[in-house]
């Protein structure tokens, strides 16, 4: 029982703070933070656990968004089914390109993913314009039907749904971090030879991690589609490719709560700074340079050891273990 409490309390504390922010922050802002953090989670897992830096996340985001959009525009009206179709679309795309992409490493992996994002952009904008409506996009906000219990066609109910989805995503990735598979992902990043010596396949570990991460990204795309009721090729625009990488580094590469903290900071700075100066990206760029020079820990990576020191304490457990603030 105590182990279960220690496992869950960090997650519940983090998401309780997120839920509390809804009381004094605008609903659109909090919704964007939740979806953006899910979007970044896949990138953070790839970069922090597997060592893959991907500039192609907009392609997988678009796979989920357009999968949902095609269903809601052409076939049905249930947003829950639309989200499921978007997830399956992302799973299919990741399963098709993954066996080829994960054979590459370093710069080659980053560039081939960026090329995929460019291909998706022009497919949606030009080649499949008869289906995607080109730059005009697919509008289906009024086509979505009301759903029981949580009517996610409304922003307030959508926040509750997205919040619960995000909590489930974080619990899943926390489980991965604590599992043998998570250790294998880290091993394939640090020492491939030792992982092979232990009997595990680097290729299979990377492939499964790639599919999991990019299906998570597709989930974020599906949520974006339902929340906005609109999808256009801009969602896969190559000039937005660095966004999840930037948020990953800003929050803390490979940390569990880094994507959530990074998404909150990035969205907040974008909203505030863009009102003061036109080129707000310049400020973000200087901040990232400072973070990289300071040791690549990011916001959460810097705060985490200090919070652990603050909250760590000896408990009266029989085994003498101490409770610490989870990662």
């Amino acid at each position: 029982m105590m182990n279960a409490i220690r496992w869950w309390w960090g997650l519940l504390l983090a998401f309780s703070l997120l839920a509390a922010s809804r009381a004094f922050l605008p609903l659109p802002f909090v919704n964007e933070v939740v979806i953006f953090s899910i979007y970044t989670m896949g990138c953070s897992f790839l970069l922090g656990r597997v060592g893959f830096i991907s500039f192609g996340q907009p392609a997988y985001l678009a796979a989920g968004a357009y999968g949902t959009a095609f269903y809601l525009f052409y076939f049905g009206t249930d947003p829950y089914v639309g989200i499921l179709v978007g997830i399956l679309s992302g799973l299919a795309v990741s399963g098709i390109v993954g066996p080829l992409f994960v054979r590459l490493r370093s710069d080659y992996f980053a560039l081939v993913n960026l090329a995929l994002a460019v291909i998706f952009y022009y497919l949606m904008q030009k080649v499949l314009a008869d289906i995607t409506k080109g730059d005009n996009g697919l509008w289906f906000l009024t086509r979505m039907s009301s759903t029981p219990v949580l009517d996610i066609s409304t922003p307030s109910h959508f926040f509750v749904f997205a919040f619960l989805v995000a909590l489930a995503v974080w619990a899943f990735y926390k489980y991965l971090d604590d599992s043998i598979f998570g250790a294998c992902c880290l091993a394939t990043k640090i020492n491939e030879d030792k992982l092979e010596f232990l009997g595990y396949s680097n290729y299979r570990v990377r492939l499964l991690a790639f599919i999991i991460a990019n299906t998570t990204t597709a989930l974020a795309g599906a949520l974006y589609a339902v929340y906005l009721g609109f999808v256009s090729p801009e969602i896969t625009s190559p000039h937005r490719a660095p966004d999840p990488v930037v948020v990953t580094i800003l929050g803390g590469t490979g940390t569990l709560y880094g994507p959530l903290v990074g998404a909150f900071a990035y969205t907040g700075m974008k909203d505030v700074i863009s009102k003061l100066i036109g080129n707000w990206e310049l400020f973000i760029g200087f901040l990232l340079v400072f973070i990289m020079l300071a040791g690549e820990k990011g916001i959460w990576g810097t705060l985490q050891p200090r919070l652990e020191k603050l909250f760590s304490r000896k408990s009266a457990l029989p085994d003498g273990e101490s409770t610490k603030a989870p990662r």
Side-chain angles (χ1 to χ4, degrees):
M1 183 65 180
M2 291 303 299
N3 288 335
I5 292 175
R6 285 200 301 271
W7 197 92
W8 276 103
W9 89 266
L11 284 172
L12 295 178
L13 176 61
F15 279 86
S16 295
L17 293 174
L18 178 62
S21 69
R22 170 67 185 88
F24 55 89
L25 290 175
L27 180 59
F29 176 85
V30 183
N31 275 333
E32 184 176 355
V33 167
V34 172
I35 302 174
F36 203 174
S37 64
I38 296 174
Y39 176 28
T40 307
M41 192 64 183
C43 182
S44 179
F45 184 75
L46 283 177
L47 181 56
R49 277 282 173 175
V50 193
F52 281 148
I53 181 169
S54 174
F55 290 107
Q57 297 310 106
Y60 310 106
L61 186 75
Y66 271 101
T68 299
F70 287 153
Y71 169 79
L72 292 175
F73 190 84
Y74 290 109
F75 302 107
T77 61
D78 190 329
Y80 285 121
V81 177
I83 291 173
L84 178 60
V85 172
I87 294 172
L88 294 176
S89 299
L91 178 63
V93 171
S94 301
I96 292 170
V97 303
L100 301 175
F101 286 10
V102 298
R103 297 180 185 276
L104 305 173
R105 296 292 282 175
S106 189
D107 299 340
Y108 299 102
F109 179 86
L111 291 175
V112 77
N113 272 278
L114 179 59
L116 180 66
V118 174
I119 291 171
F120 256 79
Y121 179 70
Y122 284 104
L123 276 175
M124 301 306 170
Q125 186 188 46
K126 303 291 185 182
V127 180
L128 302 177
D130 291 340
I131 302 174
T132 64
K133 309 303 179 184
D135 288 327
N136 293 325
L138 298 171
W139 295 82
F140 46 87
L141 183 61
T142 58
R143 289 179 52 86
M144 288 189 290
S145 59
S146 299
T147 52
V149 185
L150 284 176
D151 183 8
I152 59 175
S153 62
T154 62
S156 57
H157 284 197
F158 178 86
F159 168 73
V160 177
F161 174 74
F163 177 88
L164 295 175
V165 169
L167 179 59
V169 168
W170 258 256
F172 173 69
Y173 275 96
K174 179 171 175 56
Y175 169 76
L176 286 185
D177 283 354
D178 296 339
S179 68
I180 294 177
F181 175 72
C184 288
C185 288
L186 195 57
T188 194
K189 172 187 175 182
I190 297 173
N191 196 321
E192 302 176 13
D193 294 335
K194 283 189 176 180
L195 187 64
E196 291 283 355
F197 177 78
L198 292 172
Y200 295 98
S201 168
N202 281 289
Y203 171 77
R204 291 179 180 176
V205 169
R206 292 170 186 164
L207 178 59
L208 183 55
F210 179 88
I211 292 174
I212 290 173
N214 291 322
T215 302
T216 304
T217 301
L219 167 61
L223 292 175
Y224 268 126
V226 170
Y227 175 58
L228 298 173
F230 164 75
V231 173
S232 75
E234 184 64 23
I235 199 170
T236 189
S237 178
H239 80 273
R240 304 277 23 133
D243 285 358
V245 179
V246 168
V247 175
T248 294
I249 298 173
L250 186 64
T253 303
T255 60
L256 183 63
Y257 300 112
L260 190 60
V261 175
F264 204 101
Y266 182 84
T267 305
M269 286 188 291
K270 179 181 70 173
D271 287 358
V272 173
I273 298 172
S274 61
K275 295 177 181 178
L276 303 176
I277 58 176
N279 298 320
W280 59 273
E281 293 94 342
L282 182 64
F283 179 85
I284 300 294
F286 280 123
L287 181 60
L288 283 178
V289 170
F290 175 77
I291 288 174
M292 296 296 288
L293 292 176
E296 307 179 26
K297 293 182 178 180
I299 297 173
W300 180 251
T302 302
L303 291 177
Q304 180 188 343
R306 291 169 171 79
L307 292 175
E308 287 181 342
K309 184 177 180 180
L310 180 64
F311 289 105
S312 293
R313 65 185 184 278
K314 292 290 183 179
S315 65
L317 295 175
D319 56 2
E321 291 179 354
S322 62
T323 56
K324 293 186 176 181
R327 196 167 63 84

